Amino acid sequence: MKNFDVYPLLPITPVRAAGALLWDAEGQEYLDLYGGHAVISIGHSHPHYVARIQEQVAALGFYSNSVHIPIQEAYAAALGRASGLEDYALFLCNSGAEANENALKLASFATGKAGHIAFTGGFHGRTAGAVVLTDNPGIIAPSNQRADAHILPYGDLEAVERCLQTESIASILIEAIQGVGGIHVASDAFLLGLGRLAKTYGAKLILDEVQAGFGRSGKFFAYQWVEGLEPDLVSIAKGMGNGFPIGGVLVHPDIQAKHGMLGTTFGGNHLACAAGLAVLEVMEEEKLVAQAQSSGDYLLEALSGIPGIQEVRGRGLMIGIDCEQEASKVRSELIHKHRIFTGSAKGKFTIRLLPPLNIKINQLSSFIEAFRNVLGEPAAEMVISK
Ligand SMILES: *Cc1c(COP(=O)(O)O)cnc(C)c1O
């Protein structure tokens, strides 16, 4: 058997990693400004994280939710403290798409309605419900039902209100900062307007914090840049486990759980909670939310002076750069000549930076130097290949 071929591959094979660095089998070193799709939050193979996981798997790695799982309660309490959402309840699952599926389902249960609103440029995952709310027709299979999905222009409150007036809408699903779409930050007025409209028309507001959450934007959740916004549901994953598969939904106390509403075999198991707790402990110990903000400010400032860039967007360590040349060429040069990994995005000219939150300033400044060098030279042929 071979693996089903689904992604174009980067031209190196990492076998070892620490912090923001990766090494291949020959010992060649690479700087990781991508974190494998924004997943690596506290750095690769952080010693505290490794120790926590090793201890837990040796003691009890897994039992399902048919028993009391003390570390799951400890995790929920720690997440409540870290995020400030102490009065929300937590449902744990295994991925971002699954988090959104469960959030959509809860919104539908809570309202008795079937429709959902999402936005252009949005990405919410590849499962049946999440994919039809993702603005990418190319990944929607014929069996995924689009009838209840309404994809409206990101930023257009009037379109949202018209849809709420004419359709039966359970939820409004939005990324406060779009990730895959190319790092677009929603305006405060738009997000607050959605909160107001959701209340007026009896829909639930779901913040998809799968990519922007867990400190990446310089606040624990990206929507927390907006004062007075109170989501009904928040979906989380990616940076939450630093590579261990774990996701979840934070549920506002107005939405009550009933037995049988949701369920999962793996979600919230002992090992996943140990990985998640280790992430929160390191984030607190190393003050990583504040560090993401200050490192992001440094990057935004340093990038603003570089010729060959059309626009820089973002908050904290979630940065989108529109280059004048094609992003694939720039990324390829960064890997081959400077051994630096960056991410792609929806736009042909857009590069995404999503490094570990504790990346060192000298690592960021070496990227800035390399980036200047790459943009200052004529573009080479694209060598990122399948
Ligand atoms: C990656 C992502 C998802 C899907 O997460 P998976 O773990 O890949 O299922 C959902 N929403 C956003 C905003 C994402 O970036």
Side-chain angles (χ1 to χ4, degrees), residues 7 37-39 94-100 122-127 130 134 175 177-180 208-212 235 237-238 246 318 352:
Y7 275 112
H37 307 318
V39 165
N94 314 289
S95 70
E98 212 188 322
N100 281 327
F123 182 88
H124 302 290
R126 294 165 183 276
T127 51
T134 287
E175 294 164 89
I177 303 177
Q178 288 185 337
V180 176
D208 181 344
E209 292 276 346
V210 168
Q211 184 162 153
S235 37
K238 292 204 165 102
I246 179 170
M318 187 169 184
R352 257 187 310 163

Side-chain angles (χ1 to χ4, degrees), residues 41 82-83 176-177 183 185 209 211-226 283 287-298 300 314-319 353-358:
S41 46
S83 65
I177 303 177
I183 316 296
V185 184
E209 292 276 346
Q211 184 162 153
F214 277 77
R216 178 150 298 282
S217 76
K219 298 274 187 198
F220 194 87
F221 289 129
Y223 82 80
Q224 291 172 331
W225 281 99
V226 183
M283 283 180 68
K287 302 188 169 44
L288 292 189
V289 182
Q291 191 172 328
Q293 190 173 342
S294 58
S295 298
D297 288 348
Y298 164 82
L300 287 173
R315 270 181 175 151
L317 289 175
M318 187 169 184
I319 291 179
L353 303 182
L354 302 151
L357 307 185
N358 49 6

